[in-house]
Amino acid sequence: MAMDEEEKVFLRYLMFTVPHATVLAGALLGVLLVLKVRPEVAAGIFSLVYGTILMILAAVVKDHFSKSPLYKIFLSITLFLVGGGVLILLNVR
């Protein structure tokens, strides 16, 4: 199954943007852990922030790639991260 040019462009976009978002969210996680925030809370904040950053990246290219199946998979992953972060933070006591 060959990828069309639009999917290749979207994958290149992800290759150049997602690592930066990962480093930023990971740095936030590290700072939270150094500040002795409970690991459950830090994980929830990390997931929420990381998912939000990825959702912003998805929103930037929505007009161009919204019909692509890869875009829909990427968007569902971001929604899963945001939802997971919210659930973690709501269940932490």
Side-chain angles (χ1 to χ4, degrees), residues 16-31 46 49-50 53-54 57:
F16 287 109
T17 56
V18 171
H20 294 89
T22 305
V23 169
L24 179 62
L28 175 64
L29 177 64
V31 167
F46 167 78
V49 169
Y50 189 41
I53 293 171
L54 292 179
L57 292 176

Side-chain angles (χ1 to χ4, degrees), residues 9-47:
V9 171
F10 183 61
L11 284 176
R12 287 185 195 121
Y13 169 75
L14 292 178
M15 286 187 335
F16 287 109
T17 56
V18 171
H20 294 89
T22 305
V23 169
L24 179 62
L28 175 64
L29 177 64
V31 167
L32 290 172
L33 292 175
V34 167
L35 293 175
K36 298 191 186 319
V37 173
R38 290 181 27 209
E40 302 86 19
V41 174
I45 293 171
F46 167 78
S47 181

